């Protein structure tokens, strides 16, 4: 599934889905991220009033937040285990070119990629749980390869509409990746290119929250540079 900055379709969630980023939470029983991915995730107990999903949640009070977590967690873990390819076109007013950024998963999670959710607890109007994923030997080798070769470490912050729900989180991640790529290449390229391509792997547990009606996500990446296509003429 391709991720684009311009996300129009509304898929509403009610409350914040949040990755707990405090050192006290992440330090608790947390193995090395190279071997084992672990983070705390929470979701609101109730669907946004009037949403299409609200009518489907008739099995119990926790169905909605569980479904929400099971959309968000695989999306983030896929970016941490296999990563994304990106294509970036910088804006260029003199040429009438609008900024464009697209992310595509390098490899989707498979049926053998097991995500577990444990130690759930209630806090006010939200359900919290730990999310765990153990990398296979092959996946550990992939991570070590990303970390050992001359890939740049970049980071960014991105925003997405809270009312768009899961698609808002996808848009925030794409916006974050775009900002990280853009800021890196602004420092190393003098003239705006036609297109930049490459690959990204999330290298640390993500930080995701809500601010002023927007999802906000902070991500650290390894970046593998691809092609830089220059304009042949003005």
């Amino acid at each position: 599934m391709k991720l684009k900055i311009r996300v129009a379709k509304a898929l509403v969630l009610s409350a914040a889905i949040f990755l707990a980023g405090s050192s006290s939470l992440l330090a608790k029983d947390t193995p090395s991220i190279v071997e084992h991915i672990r983070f705390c995730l929470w979701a609101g107990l109730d669907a946004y009033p009037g949403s299409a999903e609200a009518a489907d949640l008739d099995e119990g009070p926790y169905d909605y937040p569980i479904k929400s977590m099971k959309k968000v967690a695989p999306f983030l873990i896929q970016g941490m285990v296999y990563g994304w390819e990106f294509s970036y076109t910088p804006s260029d007013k003199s040429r009438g070119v609008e900024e464009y950024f697209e992310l595509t998963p390098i490899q989707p999670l498979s049926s053998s990629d097991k995500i577990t959710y444990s130690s759930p607890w209630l806090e006010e109007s939200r359900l919290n749980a730990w999310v765990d994923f153990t990398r296979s030997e092959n996946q550990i080798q992939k991570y070590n390869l990303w970390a050992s070769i001359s890939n740049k470490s970049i980071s960014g912050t991105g925003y997405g509409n809270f009312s768009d729900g899961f698609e808002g989180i996808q848009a925030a991640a794409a916006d974050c990746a775009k900002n990280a790529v853009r800021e890196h290449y602004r420092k190393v390229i003098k003239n705006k290119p036609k297109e930049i391509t490459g690959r990204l792997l999330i290298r640390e547990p993500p930080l995701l929250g809500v601010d002023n009606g927007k999802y906000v996500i902070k991500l650290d990446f390894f970046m593998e540079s691809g092609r830089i296509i220059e304009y042949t003429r003005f």
Side-chain angles (χ1 to χ4, degrees), residues 33 77 145 212:
I33 191 175
I77 288 175
L145 183 62
N212 292 324

Side-chain angles (χ1 to χ4, degrees), residues 120-151:
W121 74 96
L122 293 175
E123 184 178 355
E124 297 179 350
S125 60
R126 67 193 190 197
L127 178 68
N128 305 263
W130 285 98
V131 177
D132 291 273
F133 180 89
T134 300
R135 298 182 200 258
S136 67
E137 289 298 323
N138 181 259
Q139 290 166 349
I140 292 173
Q141 291 176 7
K142 286 180 182 292
Y143 183 91
N144 287 333
L145 183 62
W146 275 90
S148 63
I149 59 180
S150 57
N151 289 328

Side-chain angles (χ1 to χ4, degrees), residues 33-229:
I33 191 175
V34 177
E35 300 177 0
H36 190 91
I37 296 169
R38 181 176 171 85
F39 53 80
C40 183
L41 186 64
W42 67 259
L45 296 179
D46 299 315
Y48 192 86
S51 74
E53 290 194 28
D56 298 329
L57 304 178
D58 56 3
E59 297 179 5
Y62 308 122
D63 291 347
Y64 176 73
I66 289 171
K67 288 179 181 179
S68 299
M69 289 182 187
K70 289 186 175 181
K71 289 180 181 178
V72 178
F75 167 69
L76 295 172
I77 288 175
Q78 187 280 328
M80 301 177 77
V81 175
Y82 298 116
W84 297 313
E85 294 180 342
F86 70 84
S87 173
Y88 175 50
T89 299
S91 65
D92 194 323
K93 293 182 179 179
S94 63
R95 292 183 170 89
V97 176
E98 293 185 3
E99 184 178 61
Y100 177 82
F101 188 84
E102 185 175 62
L103 285 179
T104 306
I106 295 173
Q107 179 180 333
L109 294 178
S110 69
S111 58
S112 62
D113 292 321
K114 301 297 185 183
I115 301 172
T116 61
Y117 305 83
S118 63
S119 305
W121 74 96
L122 293 175
E123 184 178 355
E124 297 179 350
S125 60
R126 67 193 190 197
L127 178 68
N128 305 263
W130 285 98
V131 177
D132 291 273
F133 180 89
T134 300
R135 298 182 200 258
S136 67
E137 289 298 323
N138 181 259
Q139 290 166 349
I140 292 173
Q141 291 176 7
K142 286 180 182 292
Y143 183 91
N144 287 333
L145 183 62
W146 275 90
S148 63
I149 59 180
S150 57
N151 289 328
K152 301 293 184 181
S153 295
I154 63 175
S155 61
T157 301
Y159 295 85
N161 290 330
F162 178 68
S163 60
D164 288 340
F166 175 57
E167 290 190 5
I169 294 173
Q170 290 179 305
D175 187 44
C176 175
K178 178 204 71 176
N179 291 334
V181 169
R182 180 177 61 190
E183 290 307 308
H184 169 74
Y185 280 105
R186 276 180 172 175
K187 299 175 183 177
V188 298
I189 299 178
K190 182 177 180 180
N191 298 317
K192 289 184 179 181
K194 182 178 181 181
E195 183 185 16
I196 301 171
T197 65
R199 304 198 306 167
L200 298 169
L201 184 83
I202 302 173
R203 66 186 186 92
E204 296 289 344
L207 299 177
L208 175 65
V210 175
D211 182 32
N212 292 324
K214 295 276 188 179
Y215 285 112
V216 55
I217 191 167
K218 296 183 179 181
L219 298 173
D220 293 307
F221 302 101
F222 291 120
M223 184 182 72
E224 180 183 289
S225 299
R227 299 181 302 163
I228 300 176
I229 303 173

